[in-house]
Amino acid sequence: MTELIVPGIITSVIAFFTVYFSMPPLIKILHKNNQAVRDIHKKGEVMVVRPAGPSLILGVIASEAVLYAFLQLNEILAIIFTTAIAFLIGYVDDKRVMGGWFKPIGLAVAALPIIFLGAYESDLAFPLFGAVQIPILYIAIIIFMIVITGNTINSIDVANGIASGFMVISGFSLSIALFILQNYEIAIASLPLGFIALAFYKYHKIPSKIFPGDSGALTFGAMYGAIAIVGQVEVIAAVALLPAILNSFLFLASVKRIVEHRELNHKPVELTEDFKLRATNDKKARISLVRLIVAGKALSEREVAIAIFKLALFSGVLAIITAFMMEVKLQ
Amino acid sequence: MNGSIFGFLFLMWILILIGGGIAVTILGPISITGYGDLDPLINSIVKGGIAISLSFIWIFVLTKLKNLIFRKTFNF
């Protein structure tokens, strides 16, 4: 464990400062190229550039490559390749508007490096009850996991600072769980996720200077999913991600098909005159986590973000409890 | 914010724990033999079928709970 402290600190520092220092020039370049979209939750024509994905993937590759030089684990290569492919899928979607099928299929392809590098164990571990061996079925779970985590993070990117802040909480919760389970090498490999999200939060928080775009959201989601697989903490990862899973579940339960948000005409929330978010009365509009949060009363964008962070913290605590429960066996 | 969202997340967590228990106690002991090289494939198909069925039950229960908890909010 002690021999991992130096690589852990170096990797975390590289992850944080790569994003921290590469984001301002990226923002300048995107402004220069007029890669901006309107921030729909702001008064007037506030334009925000996107995507932040290139800076985020730079942070992932730089930090994980250095860690690979220290540890030389296939698991680290799997994290790098899966995240990089997911970034490319998102970047294509940022540049050219693709159909609802594109991201799920692309993310399934992104899962392949984990399989080809053999960076997984086919036991699926559950708290209290132990593990179940599912050698062939586990391949399907790997693909399913990357598709789900990529899309859920993408779907929770609904307002300034939420995707990055949510990822800080979920990412560090997953790291703590890995440390509790004494999976130290993957715990160290997971630290860059939290630090990259933390550095990005500085630019993404209200008022956003840059949006993650699909490339940024898929980078976060795929890295999170890859860490969950190679670290054998699939169930814990799902628990830490529960608010985002709830958001996707509510979306699918109300829309009943896989579709891009931009293809839906009925708005679940609207802006009040004082630029607060409130739930619409449109029964055809999809149900979302934000719509649930503002159902009681209209809230500012900042208040909505804080509400989602509280839910993420709650799920993070449940994930850490689940990690402790992994050590307890009822049988 | 309505505390029902926290309650719903907690229920999702409980359902995951119960689902895990069912998966381990039902899927774990299954071992079909007698088909030679096809044994792993048949085992996986059977386990996969049960796992998918359990997932559908999980989503069904979750949908019912969602309707129960958030009915007052949205009149689903």
Side-chain angles (χ1 to χ4, degrees), chain A residues 126-127 129-130 132-133 136-137 235 239 242-243 246 249-250 253 287 291-293 295 307 311 314 318 322 325 331, chain B residues 1 5-6 8-10 12-13 16-17 20-21 23-25 27-28 40-41 44 47-48 62-63 66 70 73-74 76:
Chain A
F126 290 97
F129 296 95
V132 58
Q133 272 201 331
I136 298 175
L137 185 61
V235 175
V239 172
L242 275 180
L246 171 61
F249 168 73
L250 291 168
I287 309 297
R291 196 176 181 196
L292 277 182
I293 289 169
L311 293 171
F314 179 68
L318 289 181
T322 309
M325 288 164 74
Q331 295 169 330
Chain B
M1 179 174 44
I5 304 176
F6 285 99
F8 193 72
L9 288 179
F10 186 75
M12 286 176 85
W13 182 60
I16 287 173
L17 297 182
V24 173
T25 50
L27 289 183
L41 183 66
S44 286
K47 286 182 178 183
L62 208 58
T63 306
K66 177 203 77 176
F70 300 124
T73 311
F74 284 115
F76 288 131

Side-chain angles (χ1 to χ4, degrees), chain A residues 235-255:
Chain A
V235 175
I236 293 169
V239 172
L241 216 57
L242 275 180
I245 293 172
L246 171 61
N247 187 46
S248 296
F249 168 73
L250 291 168
F251 178 84
L252 287 172
S254 56
V255 177

